[in-house]
Amino acid sequence: MADVDAFTDIPTTTLADLLGRGQVMDFGIRPLWGPVPRVAGPAFTVRCPPGDNLMLHAAIHRAGPGSVVVVESGDLDHALAGGNVCAVARRRGITAFVADGLIRDLAEIREMRFPVFARGVIPIPGTKSAARPLNERVRCGGVDVDAGDMVVADEEGVVVVPGARREEVLAAARTKLAEEAAQSLDTWESAHRARIGRILADQGFEG
């Protein structure tokens, strides 16, 4: 779990710079309360067909402590979970939910400070009838997520670090942050002015 703790120190903006757009969930997957702490953990993946939330309700009893439950759904008519589901997840040590869908009981979830990143809230619950395999590849917020991928989420967004690249990306992120910390604003401004000037000049801009 050492790298999980380390990833909580890495802003999603830094990870996005390193990984590119393809590993960043779309802006609709956002924190449902704030200020939300940055969270990180290995993905426990769940697929729920529209209108049904059975497998997320099953997942809270199966996901290990420290995991981030990532849900493929895309349903904007029914809630995937509510206050009690989040309370049990929190009690079992699950770090957060990242859901391509909707939640309900937001006031309860905010009060218990359980991090949920989703598309919004709706008071209508889904049904519980569609069994699907757990920990298979899902697509959430436009990003493919495999079980064990590192999911990092904060107020800027949600980034998925492929499991096979965790150490590489963590090392690169630490290097990038150290370089940025060592650079004064004056130095950054000077380099930025020169860079923008070159781009404008290359395009024939005068002014």
Side-chain angles (χ1 to χ4, degrees):
M1 296 292 287
D3 64 339
V4 174
D5 293 337
F7 270 105
T8 61
D9 294 328
I10 310 297
T12 55
T13 49
T14 301
L15 295 172
D17 288 346
L18 294 170
L19 292 167
R21 180 67 186 88
Q23 295 303 119
V24 180
M25 293 189 187
D26 74 61
F27 74 94
I29 310 295
R30 61 190 186 277
L32 295 188
W33 57 267
V36 69
R38 182 177 303 119
V39 297
F44 185 99
T45 57
V46 179
R47 182 177 292 108
C48 291
D52 197 281
N53 60 27
L54 174 65
M55 296 317 297
L56 175 54
H57 287 240
I60 64 170
H61 303 293
R62 291 163 173 79
S67 59
V68 173
V69 175
V70 179
V71 188
E72 175 184 321
S73 170
D75 179 14
L76 299 181
D77 292 312
H78 306 87
L80 288 163
N84 284 343
V85 168
C86 291
V88 171
R90 181 175 179 273
R91 185 164 65 183
R92 296 199 66 253
I94 292 170
T95 296
F97 287 169
V98 174
D100 200 332
L102 307 175
I103 303 292
R104 70 178 195 165
D105 300 331
L106 179 57
E108 294 177 32
I109 295 166
R110 182 193 302 117
E111 184 175 358
M112 73 179 78
R113 296 186 61 79
F114 181 70
V116 176
F117 299 78
R119 293 200 180 274
V121 296
I122 196 168
I124 305 168
T127 59
K128 296 170 182 61
S129 60
R132 296 288 187 273
L134 293 168
N135 272 332
E136 293 193 343
R137 176 174 289 186
V138 299
R139 191 161 180 84
C140 183
V143 179
D144 290 333
V145 186
D146 289 311
D149 286 351
M150 181 62 65
V151 180
V152 183
D154 60 22
E155 62 186 2
E156 301 279 354
V158 183
V159 181
V160 180
V161 181
R165 298 185 62 193
R166 280 162 64 157
E167 292 184 10
E168 166 209 338
V169 171
L170 180 58
R174 284 171 163 165
T175 297
K176 189 175 191 303
L177 288 171
E179 290 173 349
E180 291 173 352
Q183 185 180 56
S184 70
L185 180 58
D186 288 344
T187 302
W188 183 91
E189 180 183 6
S190 177
H192 181 263
R193 181 189 295 271
R195 175 170 174 258
I196 297 303
R198 286 193 300 272
I199 294 171
L200 292 174
D202 288 346
Q203 296 188 29
F205 178 83
E206 296 180 2

